[in-house]
Amino acid sequence: MNKKLRKALALGLSCAMMASLLAGCGGKDNPSTSGSTSNGGAATTGSEIIPYTSKLVEVTADTKSAKDTLVFGSNGAASGCFHPTLQYSNYDREVIFLAFDRLVTKDAEGNYVPSLAESYTVSDDATTYTFKLRQDVKWQDGEPFTAEDVAFTYETTCHPDFGKGYDEFSAALVGADAYHEGKADHVEGIKVLDTYTVEFTFANPYLDAMVKFIDKPVFAKHVWDTIPVGQWGDATELLQNPVGTGPYKVVEYVPDQYVKMEANPDYFKGEPLIKNFIFKVTNAETRPNEMAAGDVDMGEVNAWRTENVKTYIDNQIPIAEIPDVNATYMVFDTTDPILSDVSVRQAILYAIDRQSIVDALQNGHGSVTNAPMKPTSPVYPDGLNDYAYSVDKAKELLAQAGWTDTDNDGFADKDGQKLHLTYTYSTNTENTQLAQVLQQYLKMAGIELELIAQDFNTVLAMQKDSTQKFNISTMGATYRANMGYGGSNMWMSRFAKDAKEVELLNAAAASHNMDEAKVNYGAWCEYQNEMVPQPILYFRSQGYAVNPKLVNYQPIQDEWFANVETWYFEQ
């Protein structure tokens, strides 16, 4: 089946023909890929794709950009929630990372580099982090940046009315629980020592704290402290017109079309050389031609099959590849009467040949994992169930849950009800192809899957609203460097408040050293591996096609726009 699936996709055959190929396998296991967790398949080779090589040039007072506008082609639209701690999507987060700045960033070698902070210290027991701030930073409305802004940014994530939940970073702070429960008027573990010094103290050693500091930009207290925290999500005017400290300002937001940003002349690292930065919603199929025509300067590469990158190759446009950045989740509504049964969730995962999907849809530019964590993580445990592709195992588990095909129509049923599930996904080429393949895989296991295509923000809103019911949906996530990042996304599957999930994740976050972290995060991964509330179908490499005349861009893990103020176009 693996070869037939790859061939069907490579030839661009119709969904019906692909379904016929898949169904023609008769539900037999595929021994060539069972249990495989490594990259494979007919990957697009480096001799075909032109790998991007950074041009790094020191900027001087005489450096000028040959173009004054950079157009970044995005797969989806920003929702207009340009708030550092409330945003849910990468399309908003990209804008936020240009409008705001962070205490620290990362360089190409993975080192933490002070940004809003001038310097920082960490106590020997990794419980106290102290930041000395720069004194030359101003907000884009001219107000000075101080330690009060930093304290406010992080303390409000512990507020009982904070709209995005109470994550493990916030809960780990000394006194956070008392504040979250309304028993204290501030978080004891966040202290403003003076105008330009702020200190964070955790109840236990917090090994991932620095990762969180590079992930949360700081926002202005004087802008947001007049609005109750619980009403922030409704403050549309402020959300769409952010006041940051970053290199660019939002000047125009047109929903579903673009976000235009202009260089901040008072940016503390220097005014950007490129005056305008535009995030434009573009079609993945037409984007390569737009880049070839010079209408787009950078663009996401999310599909790696030869036909997806051919235009880039033909036009000598290089592609930067960052491996295993994006996770594609299969999200189960764990409160659904059918999918609350873990046997059904496990059966669905057994029914899918994930490695074949990586090979066919991503041309090998991805990997399979068996927990919400990259398998390259130092705390990823051995011995996890790999859910090796097996239709027989899937049917066995469904039978244990009471679902068998009693009327010989090819679909399992129970108490007169056919096993019919919906699959809601956001419309783009990759997701559409994935949905069609999943539909056929599940059909072979006796599950009827109805496909429902929606725009990205509609799918996201459905997952965020716990009153909206669904069966299965998909969502991507750009994985951060913190070891427990996958736990922060369990709201999608309504699994975030599972008592054992919370207990294991909090224990892992409180690990005193890496040896403890390996044990504790291993226990959490094992529980996730058993419960599979939102298994990762695969990790995918993130690619960026880059205008070859762009200078000083560096593709860095966890950093989209490193040193963007120094970017420029050469003649």
Side-chain angles (χ1 to χ4, degrees), residues 44 47-52 72-75 282-294 296-320 542-548:
T44 303
S47 61
E48 295 174 314
I49 287 178
I50 301 171
Y52 175 79
F72 187 99
S74 296
N75 281 341
T282 56
N283 184 292
E285 285 72 37
T286 61
R287 189 182 307 131
N289 290 322
E290 290 182 86
M291 288 202 65
V296 172
D297 299 296
M298 292 183 71
E300 298 177 66
V301 177
N302 300 115
W304 293 95
R305 290 165 57 209
T306 302
E307 62 267 30
N308 300 126
V309 296
K310 185 178 185 302
T311 301
Y312 296 127
I313 297 168
D314 292 346
N315 289 276
Q316 301 291 295
I317 298 171
I319 297 176
Q542 177 62 62
Y544 295 101
V546 183
N547 184 327

Side-chain angles (χ1 to χ4, degrees), residues 507-557:
S511 299
H512 288 72
N513 52 56
M514 287 303 294
D515 289 337
E516 281 190 18
K518 186 168 181 61
V519 172
N520 293 334
Y521 277 108
W524 172 64
C525 285
E526 289 167 0
Y527 183 62
Q528 278 279 329
N529 180 251
E530 175 190 358
M531 301 304 290
V532 288
Q534 54 185 65
I536 294 174
L537 293 174
Y538 53 83
F539 275 107
R540 169 176 52 77
S541 293
Q542 177 62 62
Y544 295 101
V546 183
N547 184 327
K549 292 187 177 296
L550 184 64
V551 178
N552 285 334
Y553 165 66
Q554 284 185 285
I556 299 176
Q557 192 91 345

Side-chain angles (χ1 to χ4, degrees), residues 59-67 273 567-571:
V59 170
T60 70
D62 296 325
T63 304
K64 305 293 181 185
S65 180
K67 283 179 58 177
L273 296 170
W567 295 8
Y568 67 93
F569 291 100
E570 61 186 4
Q571 292 288 349

Side-chain angles (χ1 to χ4, degrees), residues 342-531:
V342 67
S343 294
V344 176
R345 301 199 300 266
Q346 290 176 343
I348 290 172
L349 197 53
Y350 272 114
I352 301 167
D353 188 342
R354 293 179 290 157
Q355 186 60 48
S356 287
I357 291 176
V358 170
D359 295 343
L361 295 188
Q362 298 302 327
N363 221 3
H365 290 255
S367 65
V368 174
T369 186
N370 298 303
M373 181 183 288
K374 293 183 183 181
T376 53
S377 169
V379 296
Y380 187 87
D382 297 326
L384 294 177
N385 182 358
D386 62 6
Y387 289 91
Y389 172 63
S390 172
V391 174
D392 291 340
K393 182 65 174 179
K395 289 183 176 180
E396 176 187 329
L397 285 166
L398 289 177
Q400 290 176 12
W403 295 96
T404 57
D405 184 5
T406 63
D407 55 6
N408 295 316
D409 68 346
F411 295 107
D413 55 83
K414 180 179 181 180
D415 300 329
Q417 175 188 358
K418 182 187 291 188
L419 185 47
H420 173 96
L421 299 171
T422 59
Y423 180 83
T424 307
Y425 65 98
S426 58
T427 49
N428 62 45
T429 300
E430 177 191 351
N431 285 345
T432 300
Q433 291 175 340
L434 175 61
Q436 293 168 354
V437 172
L438 292 177
Q439 185 181 51
Q440 299 308 317
Y441 275 133
L442 268 58
K443 180 179 180 181
M444 289 190 291
I447 302 170
E448 184 177 61
L449 192 66
E450 177 187 351
L451 305 184
I452 301 175
Q454 303 279 7
D455 67 88
F456 172 81
N457 286 317
T458 298
V459 177
L460 179 61
M462 177 191 72
Q463 292 178 348
K464 287 164 58 178
D465 183 356
S466 61
T467 67
Q468 290 196 47
K469 300 301 181 183
F470 64 93
N471 293 147
I472 309 173
S473 67
T474 188
M475 184 54 64
T478 300
Y479 256 59
R480 319 293 198 263
N482 49 309
M483 294 176 283
Y485 172 74
S488 67
N489 293 320
M490 290 300 125
W491 53 268
M492 298 179 190
S493 53
R494 288 86 195 259
F495 197 72
K497 294 183 179 179
D498 177 84
K500 188 171 181 180
E501 165 80 4
V502 173
E503 176 188 350
L504 290 171
L505 197 55
N506 286 345
S511 299
H512 288 72
N513 52 56
M514 287 303 294
D515 289 337
E516 281 190 18
K518 186 168 181 61
V519 172
N520 293 334
Y521 277 108
W524 172 64
C525 285
E526 289 167 0
Y527 183 62
Q528 278 279 329
N529 180 251
E530 175 190 358
M531 301 304 290

